[in-house]
Amino acid sequence: MTIKTEHLRDFKALLPENQWTEDQNIIAPHLSEWRDKFHGSTPLMLMPMSTADVQKILILANKAEVNLSIQGGNTGLVGGSTPGLENREEILVSLKKMSRVEAPCSDTMTITVEAGAILSTVHTEAEPYHFPLSLASEGSCTIGGTMATNAGGIHVIRYGTMRHLVAGIEAVLPDGTIFSNLGGLKKDNTGFDLQNLLIGSEGTLGIITKAKLKLFPKPNTLVTGWLSVHDIDKCLPLMNALQTLSNQGLHAFEVMGKTGLDFVEKHMAGKAPVSQLAPWSILFDIEIEGPDSLEKALAECLDSGAITDAVIAQNKAQQKALWALRENLSEAQKYEGGSIKHDISLPLEQLASFMKQAPHRIQSIVKGARPTPFGHFGDGNLHYNIMQPETMAKETFLNHWPEMNAAIHDLVCSMKGSISAEHGIGTLKREELALRHPEKVAAFKKIKAALDPKDILNKGRVI
Amino acid sequence: MTIKTEHLRDFKALLPENQWTEDQNIIAPHLSEWRDKFHGSTPLMLMPMSTADVQKILILANKAEVNLSIQGGNTGLVGGSTPGLENREEILVSLKKMSRVEAPCSDTMTITVEAGAILSTVHTEAEPYHFPLSLASEGSCTIGGTMATNAGGIHVIRYGTMRHLVAGIEAVLPDGTIFSNLGGLKKDNTGFDLQNLLIGSEGTLGIITKAKLKLFPKPNTLVTGWLSVHDIDKCLPLMNALQTLSNQGLHAFEVMGKTGLDFVEKHMAGKAPVSQLAPWSILFDIEIEGPDSLEKALAECLDSGAITDAVIAQNKAQQKALWALRENLSEAQKYEGGSIKHDISLPLEQLASFMKQAPHRIQSIVKGARPTPFGHFGDGNLHYNIMQPETMAKETFLNHWPEMNAAIHDLVCSMKGSISAEHGIGTLKREELALRHPEKVAAFKKIKAALDPKDILNKGRVI
């Protein structure tokens, strides 16, 4: 369906000339994303400067029945922010010009920012406080995008996902109603929780324009450690022991399989801090009073056989070197050919069982395929990647993607896990969500139809 | 509208005989509440034993178009759980027979409980762990009720409200759909946040039947202290200083005005721990390494004049005595005649300004009325009670209730505060919510109509 010329004219008339463009050269970077999986199109990009601008856009979109695609930093991985997919015609609304960041408030330990602010800018502006959301894309992702997708990252074990870091929001609902909740109240029982409904709805139920974010004191010096573990069953008790020892002081607790670390050593000049890699390696950051107690506890774990090696970084350079091993896991896999990826989460008590069962399911589909799991074990979140067998053609292997996904997700769902832990649904996982959770999607559709009866906002995403 | 006899028969036929009653003697305690403000009626009380029972009830209620009133421990204060108000006829659904509590899981630090479990039972069953929700009504309120109302209480400053203590829920939506989310996942971005939508919706959007609750290590020994403060502006900086000193170790931070404490001394044989009460007294519980640092910090506050007195409880008896002063505040007020009550919250940075402005507004309505504020300052939550002038007739004073409410709530709303911090909306505040936040209520109505088109569930509450 083509957007009528008169409607394009009306949208352009809403905003000053520097807040819209039809120049396809300027628009181009907004039409694809870094994995190069989704390619979209749009005749017009609008760049509101205020909540009032967003309101005007939504009111007109409803009147003209024109679809809108909402975009922050365009760093999503599931085709949520690309306009014009699936033969829709959509006007693109980019929040990037709404990027004001207020000074942090020390009385309330909060910072108020507009949706288009870049995450790393917020890190800087929050000084001397700490805004803990930390993502690989933090140099380009926006606060609005991290709210729309309830972003996760490395430090969820300590601070929770984005949802838990938001003290208040301002948003425009699909019909143009402004919902303003910027008081940052810690207690407010005046009806349904619209704020949490909007956070994580991937721009389908409203456009979040502003947020009051929670700040934290800068953590004390973190101790970084590496543990070798032979038995995956030991990981959860180890994590709980470290939490108890440090009064819930873990800031990260990552588990990595040997296969992936072998790739890092082979292709990325990485060097594990132990003479021989165990089947499982743990990397952790911990805030702890008196590191002696940590050393003592690890010595006991060595004695009991729970771990077979333990290394504590002695300085910043060593900390960085340990983290580089973890951070290079994704890159190193590229040298080994095709990879089928999963962004799953599991109840903590099911993680070990999953790790044991999944390889059998994989082998029954492609013999020789190599599971390369790693991830935020402390949050139950695994990036469960499966590398092609060494001798198979990449394309042949990748043709098994749907079958492999189905097998892994079957196992995940049988264990009450999630088929999208942190990346969201977007366009990519919409059909599978409907298949896996028809009861949830039925409720989502009712809520969407109630708040956005003309399906103006981010149509085709999530549901 | 009277429920047809054939419909009553159909509902009774759904459940075994020990799961329903028409005996008005048995039903009577469910028809009024402890403040004796609401008096209801019902022809039939159903007592489901399982999520499947609840599902059957909802499916039939939709088919027969019969209204249901949902009740937990019946300890609410806003007429949310009383059946048959405002000339509705409703079948009462009591969750009290669904009270199973599983053993706590030490791997995941969670406990799974049914909605009818009593809060204090959960405290006991959670041993050796700590379930931190603490309310005056904990001996009779149910976990289901605390979820439906997003209960708060004393320790919100440390652990958040009930919403933050829930790892997962099982619920039945109004049309009978079962929404099961008991995996307790820390990361799950598969669509809209139904869990938080149901929590705090006061039983209007679904019946929560089960929950997986978060447990915590028992806190280390808490230090209890009392501070005298002349200038209300000092309270927030004091709180922030204690948080920094203890690495966010405050478990409670209560502020009390002199008027209320005078009443406790006069009527309840209470004795403040200082020779002369200051205009403001602070009572705090703190988890802190090395109490010496606390004493040093308080000595500095005395030197700077931020506080004029400081007392640290030296043993459990002293701790208890300090807390008794706080806990007797409500009771003591009864001896002073009529009291107009408010359950409000404010942005932290507005609390002091509110405390200074409110008395002027009060005096302009009833000269001589005595503000008796106290509350969970650390959460921005004040129980802002106003006592009658000593010489006025109680009824005369209480006739000013609506006018006084309007004045206080005007000020609260102008400061982005909440007219219901922890008690919810129920029947009591429905009209005022619609008046204060028409934009929110319009959205609530759309969501309610989408999920419960026949308005079966807790009709007339919230919206």
Side-chain angles (χ1 to χ4, degrees):
Chain A
M1 201 183 72
T2 306
I3 300 171
K4 289 183 191 151
T5 313
E6 70 211 59
H7 288 148
L8 290 174
R9 188 197 58 210
D10 291 344
F11 276 101
K12 289 184 280 183
L14 284 180
L15 300 171
E17 280 197 19
N18 64 338
Q19 289 185 231
W20 56 264
T21 184
E22 297 172 302
D23 182 335
Q24 290 296 325
N25 289 320
I26 297 173
I27 291 174
H30 299 267
L31 302 182
S32 59
E33 33 71 64
W34 74 276
R35 275 196 191 165
D36 208 29
K37 204 168 180 130
F38 298 96
H39 298 272
S41 65
T42 187
L44 175 64
M45 177 164 78
L46 305 173
M47 291 163 282
M49 293 278 283
S50 66
T51 302
D53 283 350
V54 173
Q55 182 179 43
K56 282 190 286 187
I57 292 168
L58 278 164
I59 289 171
L60 178 55
N62 264 287
K63 200 175 143 208
E65 302 196 17
V66 167
N67 289 111
L68 303 178
S69 167
I70 315 304
Q71 194 175 92
N74 194 26
T75 61
L77 299 171
V78 291
S81 61
T82 311
L85 297 180
E86 299 177 319
N87 295 318
R88 282 186 298 276
E89 197 166 43
E90 298 174 323
I91 290 177
L92 179 61
V93 180
S94 165
L95 276 289
K96 68 180 181 179
K97 278 191 191 274
M98 287 187 70
S99 59
R100 279 169 291 250
V101 177
E102 293 181 15
C105 171
S106 55
D107 275 348
T108 58
M109 298 276 282
T110 57
I111 189 167
T112 301
V113 308
E114 287 184 338
I118 302 294
L119 175 52
S120 60
T121 306
V122 174
H123 289 157
T124 310
E125 296 295 322
E127 296 276 350
Y129 302 108
H130 179 51
F131 182 65
L133 187 75
S134 174
L135 305 173
S137 60
E138 62 196 34
S140 46
C141 72
T142 63
I143 289 297
T146 60
M147 288 191 286
T149 59
N150 184 30
I154 294 285
H155 301 307
V156 171
I157 189 173
R158 178 73 168 94
Y159 297 98
T161 62
M162 188 60 180
R163 182 185 302 293
H164 303 92
L165 302 175
V166 177
I169 62 169
E170 183 163 282
V172 187
L173 303 183
D175 67 358
T177 302
I178 293 175
F179 167 62
S180 190
N181 189 35
L182 288 171
L185 301 175
K186 289 170 195 288
K187 283 185 180 172
D188 177 20
N189 281 341
T190 51
F192 311 162
D193 187 354
L194 290 182
Q195 178 168 310
N196 275 311
L197 185 63
L198 291 170
I199 294 174
S201 72
E202 303 188 24
T204 62
L205 299 180
I207 301 177
I208 303 176
T209 53
K210 221 168 172 178
K212 181 174 269 198
L213 305 175
K214 298 179 189 171
L215 299 178
F216 296 82
K218 292 242 170 154
N220 297 319
T221 311
L222 298 180
V223 176
T224 299
W226 183 284
L227 308 176
S228 293
V229 179
H230 274 260
D231 178 358
I232 188 76
D233 281 315
K234 304 291 187 196
C235 291
L236 185 55
L238 276 169
M239 183 178 87
N240 286 333
L242 288 176
Q243 288 288 44
T244 303
L245 185 72
S246 62
N247 200 9
Q248 314 299 303
L250 281 174
H251 281 242
F253 189 88
E254 305 281 308
V255 170
M256 299 155 286
K258 182 174 182 298
T259 313
L261 290 169
D262 282 340
F263 297 160
V264 175
E265 293 201 321
K266 184 172 162 195
H267 302 294
M268 312 284 294
K271 184 70 203 79
V274 294
S275 55
Q276 197 172 2
L277 278 168
W280 302 99
S281 299
I282 295 170
L283 175 64
F284 66 88
D285 274 347
I286 198 166
E287 192 176 357
I288 191 164
E289 304 265 340
D292 293 355
S293 61
L294 176 62
E295 285 182 22
K296 193 170 154 240
L298 294 180
E300 284 168 17
C301 292
L302 282 165
D303 285 348
S304 74
I307 59 176
T308 56
D309 238 326
V311 175
I312 303 285
Q314 299 301 316
N315 51 47
K316 290 225 162 168
Q318 288 184 11
Q319 282 184 316
K320 218 174 148 185
L322 292 183
W323 271 101
L325 292 163
R326 163 68 182 83
E327 283 154 8
N328 283 328
L329 276 170
S330 294
E331 185 67 18
Q333 288 171 37
K334 293 188 185 164
Y335 296 89
E336 292 286 326
S339 166
I340 297 176
K341 296 175 195 300
H342 305 86
D343 166 42
I344 56 177
S345 74
L346 289 149
L348 293 181
E349 72 275 22
Q350 299 284 7
L351 278 165
S353 172
F354 176 86
M355 294 287 215
K356 288 183 234 173
Q357 291 183 52
H360 300 295
R361 304 219 175 182
I362 291 164
Q363 294 305 323
S364 73
I365 297 170
V366 179
K367 208 167 153 52
R370 296 166 293 169
T372 314
F374 65 97
H376 321 305
F377 188 95
D379 317 321
N381 180 194
L382 299 175
H383 297 296
Y384 200 87
N385 294 351
I386 303 161
M387 299 301 309
Q388 65 168 77
E390 288 180 76
T391 54
M392 187 179 267
K394 182 173 173 179
E395 285 313 309
T396 314
F397 178 67
L398 292 182
N399 284 339
H400 290 283
W401 196 303
E403 202 184 348
M404 205 66 98
N405 266 196
I408 293 294
H409 289 170
D410 279 351
L411 185 56
V412 165
C413 290
S414 75
M415 293 176 161
K416 295 189 187 165
S418 169
I419 61 164
S420 185
E422 54 180 12
H423 297 165
I425 299 300
T427 306
L428 186 67
K429 294 188 180 171
R430 184 188 62 210
E431 302 303 333
E432 182 162 10
L433 180 67
L435 196 74
R436 299 277 174 189
H437 297 291
E439 82 298 347
K440 273 169 61 167
V441 172
F444 296 169
K445 284 186 174 171
K446 289 179 188 175
I447 294 169
K448 171 70 170 171
L451 294 180
D452 185 11
K454 294 183 181 167
D455 209 354
I456 295 297
L457 258 183
N458 268 4
K459 181 173 178 166
R461 283 79 166 180
V462 185
I463 51 175
Chain B
M1 202 180 73
T2 306
I3 300 172
K4 289 182 191 153
T5 313
E6 71 211 58
H7 287 148
L8 290 174
R9 189 199 57 210
D10 292 343
F11 276 101
K12 288 184 283 186
L14 285 181
L15 300 171
E17 278 197 22
N18 66 337
Q19 288 184 232
W20 57 264
T21 185
E22 297 173 302
D23 183 334
Q24 289 297 324
N25 290 319
I26 297 172
I27 292 173
H30 298 267
L31 302 180
S32 59
E33 33 70 64
W34 73 277
R35 274 196 191 165
D36 208 27
K37 204 167 179 132
F38 298 96
H39 299 272
S41 66
T42 187
L44 176 64
M45 178 164 77
L46 304 174
M47 290 164 283
M49 294 278 283
S50 66
T51 302
D53 283 349
V54 173
Q55 183 180 41
K56 282 191 286 189
I57 293 167
L58 278 165
I59 289 171
L60 177 55
N62 265 286
K63 199 173 145 210
E65 301 197 18
V66 167
N67 290 109
L68 303 178
S69 166
I70 316 305
Q71 194 174 91
N74 194 25
T75 60
L77 299 170
V78 290
S81 62
T82 311
L85 297 180
E86 299 177 320
N87 296 318
R88 282 186 298 276
E89 198 166 44
E90 297 174 325
I91 290 178
L92 180 60
V93 180
S94 166
L95 276 288
K96 68 181 182 180
K97 277 191 192 274
M98 287 187 71
S99 59
R100 280 170 289 253
V101 177
E102 293 181 15
C105 171
S106 56
D107 275 348
T108 58
M109 298 278 282
T110 56
I111 189 167
T112 301
V113 309
E114 286 184 339
I118 302 293
L119 175 52
S120 60
T121 307
V122 174
H123 289 156
T124 310
E125 297 294 323
E127 296 277 352
Y129 302 107
H130 178 51
F131 182 64
L133 187 75
S134 174
L135 306 173
S137 60
E138 61 195 37
S140 44
C141 72
T142 63
I143 290 296
T146 60
M147 287 190 286
T149 60
N150 184 29
I154 293 287
H155 301 306
V156 171
I157 189 172
R158 179 73 168 94
Y159 296 99
T161 62
M162 187 60 178
R163 181 184 304 292
H164 303 92
L165 302 174
V166 177
I169 62 169
E170 182 163 282
V172 188
L173 302 183
D175 66 357
T177 302
I178 294 176
F179 167 63
S180 191
N181 188 36
L182 288 171
L185 302 176
K186 290 171 195 287
K187 283 186 180 171
D188 178 21
N189 281 342
T190 51
F192 310 162
D193 186 355
L194 289 183
Q195 177 167 310
N196 274 312
L197 186 62
L198 291 170
I199 295 174
S201 71
E202 302 188 24
T204 61
L205 298 181
I207 301 179
I208 303 175
T209 54
K210 221 168 174 180
K212 181 172 268 199
L213 304 176
K214 298 179 190 171
L215 299 178
F216 297 81
K218 292 242 172 158
N220 297 319
T221 312
L222 298 181
V223 176
T224 299
W226 183 283
L227 309 176
S228 293
V229 179
H230 274 260
D231 178 358
I232 187 77
D233 281 314
K234 304 290 188 198
C235 291
L236 185 54
L238 276 168
M239 184 179 88
N240 286 333
L242 289 175
Q243 288 287 46
T244 303
L245 186 72
S246 63
N247 200 8
Q248 314 299 304
L250 281 173
H251 281 242
F253 189 88
E254 305 281 307
V255 170
M256 300 156 283
K258 182 173 182 297
T259 312
L261 290 169
D262 283 340
F263 298 160
V264 174
E265 293 202 320
K266 184 173 162 193
H267 302 294
M268 312 286 293
K271 185 69 204 76
V274 293
S275 56
Q276 198 172 1
L277 279 168
W280 302 99
S281 298
I282 294 171
L283 175 64
F284 66 87
D285 275 349
I286 197 166
E287 192 176 357
I288 190 164
E289 305 265 339
D292 293 355
S293 63
L294 176 62
E295 286 183 23
K296 192 169 155 244
L298 294 180
E300 282 168 17
C301 291
L302 282 165
D303 284 348
S304 74
I307 58 176
T308 57
D309 238 325
V311 175
I312 303 285
Q314 298 301 317
N315 51 48
K316 289 226 162 167
Q318 288 184 10
Q319 282 185 317
K320 215 173 153 186
L322 292 183
W323 271 101
L325 292 164
R326 163 68 182 81
E327 283 154 7
N328 283 327
L329 275 170
S330 294
E331 185 68 17
Q333 288 171 37
K334 292 189 184 162
Y335 296 91
E336 293 284 328
S339 166
I340 296 176
K341 295 175 197 300
H342 304 88
D343 166 42
I344 56 176
S345 72
L346 290 150
L348 293 180
E349 72 275 22
Q350 298 284 6
L351 278 165
S353 172
F354 176 85
M355 294 288 215
K356 289 184 235 174
Q357 290 183 53
H360 300 295
R361 304 220 176 181
I362 290 164
Q363 294 305 321
S364 73
I365 297 169
V366 179
K367 208 168 152 53
R370 295 166 295 169
T372 315
F374 65 97
H376 320 305
F377 188 95
D379 317 321
N381 180 196
L382 300 175
H383 297 298
Y384 201 88
N385 294 350
I386 303 162
M387 299 301 308
Q388 65 169 77
E390 288 182 74
T391 53
M392 187 180 266
K394 183 174 174 178
E395 285 314 310
T396 313
F397 177 68
L398 293 182
N399 284 338
H400 291 283
W401 195 302
E403 202 184 346
M404 205 67 97
N405 266 195
I408 292 295
H409 290 170
D410 279 351
L411 185 57
V412 165
C413 290
S414 75
M415 292 175 161
K416 296 188 185 165
S418 169
I419 62 164
S420 186
E422 54 180 11
H423 297 164
I425 300 299
T427 305
L428 185 67
K429 293 188 180 171
R430 184 187 63 210
E431 303 303 332
E432 183 161 9
L433 180 66
L435 195 74
R436 299 278 175 188
H437 298 290
E439 82 298 347
K440 272 169 62 167
V441 172
F444 295 169
K445 285 186 173 171
K446 289 178 189 176
I447 294 169
K448 171 71 169 169
L451 294 179
D452 185 13
K454 293 183 181 168
D455 210 355
I456 295 297
L457 258 183
N458 269 5
K459 182 174 176 165
R461 283 76 165 183
V462 186
I463 51 175

